Amino acid sequence: MTESCRSAQQGRTPARLGIIIPCYNEADVLPRTLPMFLDELDSLKTAGLVTEDSFILFVDDGSKDGTWDSITSYALRNDAVKGVRQSRNRGHQNALLAGLMEVKDSVDVTITIDCDGQDDVGVMGQMIHQYVDGSEIVYGVRDSRESDSWFKRASANFFYRLMEKLGAETVRNHADYRLVSARVLREFANYHEVNLFLRGLFVLVGFQSSKVYYTRERRIAGQSHYPLRKMIGLALNGITSLSVKPIRMVTVLGLMVSILGFCGVAYAVASLFIARTVSGWTSLTCIICFLGGMQLFCLGVIGEYVGKIYLETKSRPRYIISERTGEFPWTGNAK
Ligand code: UDP
Ligand code: MG
């Protein structure tokens, strides 16, 4: 690393940090985890890693219990605690987005973390260090899945393999415990899609990234809001948001069925001459084989266009520049 690079990176600290914490019906959990988050923020401030005006922003995702009351009463007592409340429950991903967009222009860096104490707050320091070393995104990654049931472990493995096969880039065993710099957030704000799968979208934004490993504990209190039905929903959302390969598979399937259909037609015609077949069997078999293959293939072709329209409607940025050699806009005398 060059000297000028190093001094530029040292200029990244102390950074103004915003810790974003989504909460939905967490009145039992908050009084136990909130002091934990505040302690960690204080120790980051004492270590000189983050500025004194760094803060925690709780996003109440339309809770129906006393979650918002807890947030407001803590916010009154401590300047470092802030809160926003969504008009109704919109789901974890949208709550995270609301918090990130709320702070993107007033902080240098954000860390998102669940409020139930499962993610280890102790690695936040490491995340900030990696940010200082040049990472714009630091993914919190579980070092093992031993605390999960056999089923959750197997289904998570299956999901990551499937995502890889479908060409959708994700970080294995990373949920939404993540450091993201304000710079990335400003680029991310140009992604206008409504079906959110944040852990995959930040990978799409790019920039230098790194990982920190931690052990995920059990929930301190309360129940998970992600039963199997919602887990499957999130996984399907991830696949369909990041990949149009399932549509392409229909085209390939259509081609394969067409080839099989062609063989079927040849077989039916040959049978007509070699062995005597019942009258009408050959023509019926030919029609079924031909139509079956053609229909599936045509559906696949239509699907290709639907896939393109789908990608266009997202109007994702077509490029993001990460560095330039000189001053921008380019100066000089144009002839
Ligand atoms: N959450 C939210 N809105 C929802 C569901 C969950 O803001 O509709 C929050 C929840 O309070 C927690 C985080 O998202 O802070 C993760 O939820 P949970 O712990 O239930 O998920 P799990 O860890 O079991 O996957
Ligand atoms: Mg949890």
Side-chain angles (χ1 to χ4, degrees):
M1 195 188 298
T2 63
E3 266 320 301
S4 63
C5 225
R6 183 162 301 148
S7 60
Q9 287 179 1
Q10 274 160 3
R12 285 160 78 98
T13 183
R16 187 173 195 215
L17 169 69
I19 301 176
I20 313 297
I21 308 183
C23 311
Y24 179 55
N25 292 344
E26 302 283 13
D28 294 341
V29 175
L30 262 190
R32 295 167 69 178
T33 53
L34 201 147
M36 210 168 79
F37 294 124
L38 273 177
D39 282 351
E40 183 57 30
L41 183 63
D42 282 341
S43 62
L44 293 174
K45 286 180 184 175
T46 313
L49 286 173
V50 301
T51 56
E52 282 301 319
D53 58 357
S54 294
F55 60 92
I56 303 175
L57 177 71
F58 287 94
V59 182
D60 178 6
D61 188 18
S63 300
K64 292 177 188 73
D65 62 0
T67 301
W68 181 243
D69 296 335
S70 280
I71 295 171
T72 43
S73 75
Y74 273 101
L76 281 176
R77 278 181 272 146
N78 194 324
D79 275 350
V81 176
K82 303 180 192 305
V84 288
R85 188 183 201 187
Q86 296 226 80
S87 58
R88 53 158 293 163
N89 177 246
R90 284 171 210 275
H92 178 205
Q93 300 289 294
N94 297 67
L96 282 174
L97 179 73
L100 290 170
M101 291 302 110
E102 190 77 10
V103 304
K104 78 176 184 345
D105 296 319
S106 49
V107 297
D108 300 309
V109 65
T110 59
I111 294 179
T112 47
I113 185 167
D114 292 351
C115 79
D116 54 11
Q118 286 193 271
D119 301 321
D120 178 10
V121 290
V123 296
M124 284 191 184
Q126 235 174 297
M127 286 180 160
I128 302 280
H129 276 295
Q130 299 198 4
Y131 164 75
V132 173
D133 285 343
S135 292
E136 300 287 344
I137 304 177
V138 184
Y139 298 102
V141 177
R142 300 175 64 168
D143 57 7
S144 83
R145 284 194 163 261
E146 270 155 29
S147 58
D148 279 357
S149 65
W150 174 89
F151 177 75
K152 199 153 186 181
R153 230 177 7 239
S155 54
N157 258 331
F158 172 73
F159 171 70
Y160 287 117
R161 283 228 190 100
L162 187 64
M163 292 291 268
E164 277 160 25
K165 287 263 178 306
L166 292 175
E169 242 186 279
T170 43
V171 178
R172 243 173 200 268
N173 294 328
H174 160 71
D176 284 295
Y177 187 17
R178 180 173 51 231
L179 173 146
V180 179
S181 72
R183 184 183 186 194
V184 170
L185 285 180
R186 283 193 288 271
E187 298 294 350
F188 179 71
N190 296 322
Y191 286 70
H192 299 293
E193 51 210 272
V194 286
N195 292 298
L196 294 172
F197 186 67
L198 295 177
R199 61 196 79 168
L201 287 178
F202 280 111
V203 176
L204 282 187
V205 178
F207 291 99
Q208 187 174 325
S209 67
S210 57
K211 296 175 190 165
V212 298
Y213 292 87
Y214 70 97
T215 306
R216 196 160 203 251
E217 304 296 339
R218 290 187 187 282
R219 225 174 200 279
I220 281 188
Q223 294 270 319
S224 167
H225 300 91
Y226 274 100
L228 184 63
R229 180 179 53 82
K230 275 201 182 171
M231 290 281 288
I232 293 174
L234 184 70
L236 284 179
N237 193 16
I239 291 169
T240 49
S241 291
L242 298 175
S243 171
V244 286
K245 272 200 182 170
I247 292 180
R248 195 146 298 149
M249 284 176 183
V250 178
T251 320
V252 174
L253 196 70
L255 263 180
M256 278 162 37
V257 174
S258 292
I259 292 167
L260 273 178
F262 181 75
C263 298
V265 169
Y267 171 75
V269 173
S271 312
L272 179 67
F273 292 109
I274 296 165
R276 286 230 182 109
T277 52
V278 181
S279 139
W281 180 83
T282 308
S283 51
L284 212 58
T285 308
C286 289
I287 291 168
I288 290 171
C289 289
F290 178 74
L291 280 187
M294 279 314 285
Q295 274 178 346
L296 208 54
F297 179 67
C298 292
L299 261 184
V301 173
I302 295 170
E304 285 286 323
Y305 287 95
V306 174
K308 290 249 155 61
I309 296 168
Y310 178 59
L311 292 179
E312 292 286 346
T313 55
K314 287 176 189 266
S315 67
R316 286 177 178 162
R318 281 163 296 174
Y319 63 87
I320 296 173
I321 290 171
S322 71
E323 273 165 86
R324 289 191 175 88
T325 53
E327 287 295 309
F328 186 79
W330 308 109
T331 48
N333 296 326
K335 287 198 178 139

